[in-house]
Amino acid sequence: MIKIAITKGRIEKQVCQMLAAKGFDMDPIIHKDRELLIETSDGLSMIFAKANDVLTFLEHGIVDVGFVGKDTLEDSDFHDYYEMLDLEIGRCYFAVAAYPEYKDKEFHRRKRIASKYTNVAKKYFNDKHEDVEIIKLEGSVELGPVVGLSDAIVDIVETGSTLKANGLVVIEKISDISTKMIVNKVSLKFKKDEIFALIDALKGEEEDA
Ligand code: PRP
């Protein structure tokens, strides 16, 4: 049996669709109600969790496989896993965004940067040797500049419509994001065949698409 943690919501739906298209029995998942752990007739034991918790379950060996966005992986301090597959879904990117004036503005104080992804933001400005103040927001990060809390944000951009609707622009793209399949290092040793069978199935789906 392979134990899998999937990020609840969009990633859960897309991964389950991919597996169903490859003939896996996803009916118990599709028809689930509020259950958080489901075993399928193909020997998959799946739990549904928040993105950061998918990493926690994998780190503690509770699951063999995790499906999670690259955004979560990049912001985490835990890196002791194998990134086995890019599912090429959930594509978006990290960017610095602000009002257009930000580009030419001279700051005579530390810039204030709002982000849900504080590690990504820290790393970006450290790499630029810029000493900034990072302010953590849990969501609707665009509010930072809108309400005057921050000069800019580091956030995910997908269609760009949230930025546009709030008068903000991309100042610089940081990195691409998509959904990844990650694997616990010990599990790969002991469940190699099952894990590679799952990878092959998902890869095949990509080629079919
Ligand atoms: C994400 C992200 C942006 C928005 C970008 O937020 O933080 O706010 O989506 O998408 P767009 O470029 O297509 O407009 P999400 O909707 O996940 O909610 P949150 O703001 O509460 O984090």
Side-chain angles (χ1 to χ4, degrees):
M1 172 147 305
I2 308 185
K3 294 179 182 169
I4 301 174
I6 304 192
T7 307
K8 282 203 275 192
R10 209 163 3 148
I11 291 180
E12 167 189 338
K13 286 202 182 77
Q14 289 178 320
V15 171
C16 289
Q17 273 169 12
M18 286 174 95
L19 288 169
K22 282 321 263 186
F24 283 84
D25 169 26
M26 289 291 117
D27 276 358
I29 316 277
I30 291 158
H31 297 116
K32 80 178 163 68
D33 188 15
R34 303 285 296 174
E35 302 96 309
L36 296 171
L37 188 159
I38 291 190
E39 288 180 6
T40 74
S41 57
D42 302 303
L44 303 181
S45 171
M46 296 189 161
I47 58 173
F48 306 92
K50 288 243 183 193
N52 282 318
D53 296 343
V54 167
L55 280 181
T56 302
F57 290 120
L58 193 113
E59 177 180 4
H60 290 270
I62 304 299
V63 297
D64 307 304
V65 171
F67 290 101
V68 68
K70 184 74 175 169
D71 51 331
T72 303
L73 298 178
E74 282 201 7
D75 205 54
S76 171
D77 294 322
F78 170 65
H79 298 288
D80 196 20
Y81 51 79
Y82 295 122
E83 194 178 302
M84 300 294 286
L85 190 64
D86 181 353
L87 297 189
E88 299 182 12
I89 55 176
R91 281 178 187 280
C92 49
Y93 60 95
F94 274 127
V96 180
Y99 286 123
E101 314 71 278
Y102 175 89
K103 270 188 182 166
D104 303 316
K105 191 170 169 183
E106 280 193 30
F107 289 88
H108 302 290
R109 54 163 174 80
R110 282 164 93 208
K111 288 178 193 164
R112 286 188 290 269
I113 310 296
S115 188
K116 185 175 167 182
Y117 300 91
T118 51
N119 284 337
V120 172
K122 261 181 221 153
K123 184 175 181 310
Y124 171 83
F125 285 99
N126 274 345
D127 289 351
K128 294 207 166 254
H129 307 289
E130 273 196 65
D131 179 27
V132 301
E133 180 187 350
I134 309 280
I135 303 170
K136 168 106 180 180
L137 285 179
E138 289 293 345
S140 302
V141 176
E142 292 83 356
L143 276 173
V146 170
V147 302
L149 173 72
S150 71
D151 302 299
I153 60 173
V154 167
D155 199 20
I156 287 172
V157 182
E158 192 180 353
T159 61
S161 50
T162 311
L163 291 182
K164 198 170 172 206
N166 292 287
L168 303 167
V169 294
V170 170
I171 302 296
E172 193 176 347
K173 184 176 162 178
I174 300 178
S175 59
D176 287 314
I177 297 168
S178 57
T179 302
K180 307 287 180 175
M181 174 180 169
I182 58 169
V183 174
N184 177 289
K185 287 186 170 176
V186 178
S187 301
L188 194 66
K189 255 188 200 155
F190 293 104
K191 298 187 181 177
K192 199 173 173 199
D193 292 347
E194 295 107 298
I195 289 171
F196 273 102
L198 185 63
I199 292 171
D200 287 346
L202 287 166
K203 267 190 187 161
E205 168 60 16
E206 276 169 29
E207 279 152 21
D208 293 345

